[in-house]
Amino acid sequence: MMRQSLLRSSRSIIARPAVARPRVLQAVAATQSRGAHAISNPTLANIEKRWEEMPPQEQADLWMALRDRMKTNWAELTLQEQKAAYYIAFGNHGPRATAPPGEGRTIFLQVMAGLAASFVLFATIRMFAGPAPSTMNKEWQEATNEYLKAQNSEPISGLSSQGYKGPGQVQSSPKKVE
């Protein structure tokens, strides 16, 4: 049911006068009105060079015409149609386009600039930062270990377990704050 309505709407589009239609639409209309005949060579000529500049509607119409042609016996496709179908399906356009020259260098330089800017920002923040908090000195961390042992914190695998040999809360301490 849906397919029949789509066919009727596509026939009504094709039945309109060909005066204001682009070449591809005329080729598609001619292809559909005659059955599964070949798409004209001028329509398919240099498709590799013209594909990116074609309007999206024209691209879609050409692809639909080629798709309809491929529904018939593939031995009946012309060499131009085969090349165009292959390029449209697998060519280096859209997401498969090759990178422009120098793009790798540009990306590298921008990443290095970002790293340099983050280093400068980090150094500036560290330069104006206050002293380390009092909880970062070794005596405080050792006192925290004793408190946790007295509270029997994590008795299975933590600081209060039998045979625990880890550092507990003691970390590599920065310069001693006096």
Side-chain angles (χ1 to χ4, degrees):
M1 183 76 172
M2 179 65 118
R3 185 173 181 175
Q4 291 173 349
S5 65
L6 288 174
L7 286 175
R8 281 190 213 123
S9 65
S10 67
R11 287 183 187 140
S12 66
I13 292 171
I14 295 170
R16 293 181 187 155
V19 176
R21 287 189 271 176
R23 263 190 311 175
V24 172
L25 288 176
Q26 292 172 355
V28 171
T31 301
Q32 290 179 351
S33 66
R34 289 181 293 182
H37 293 281
I39 300 173
S40 66
N41 282 339
T43 304
L44 300 175
N46 292 326
I47 195 70
E48 298 87 8
K49 294 180 178 129
R50 294 184 304 119
W51 183 256
E52 290 290 323
E53 286 80 30
M54 288 174 71
Q57 182 61 42
E58 202 169 327
Q59 289 177 349
D61 292 338
L62 180 58
W63 175 245
M64 292 298 134
L66 282 171
R67 189 192 63 180
D68 292 341
R69 283 284 294 150
M70 289 188 289
K71 287 181 181 177
T72 63
N73 185 0
W74 285 22
E76 295 175 4
L77 292 175
T78 65
L79 184 62
Q80 284 286 75
E81 289 172 331
Q82 291 173 3
K83 286 180 181 178
Y86 182 82
Y87 178 77
I88 292 169
F90 304 109
N92 60 349
H93 56 83
R96 293 177 298 275
T98 55
E103 184 178 31
R105 181 175 177 256
T106 303
I107 290 172
F108 176 77
L109 292 175
Q110 289 177 351
V111 167
M112 290 298 118
L115 286 173
S118 63
F119 177 75
V120 167
L121 181 65
F122 175 75
T124 304
I125 290 171
R126 289 288 290 189
M127 187 172 20
F128 293 110
S134 61
T135 57
M136 290 301 292
N137 64 32
K138 192 167 186 164
E139 293 81 21
W140 188 287
Q141 293 169 355
E142 288 172 350
T144 303
N145 280 349
E146 294 303 319
Y147 177 77
L148 291 174
K149 284 180 188 176
Q151 294 294 318
N152 200 20
S153 177
E154 294 188 51
I156 297 174
S157 63
L159 196 63
S160 298
S161 64
Q162 290 181 347
Y164 180 75
K165 294 184 173 128
Q169 299 298 314
V170 178
Q171 301 175 4
S172 56
S173 181
K175 295 178 186 175
K176 189 173 182 178
V177 177
E178 305 263 340

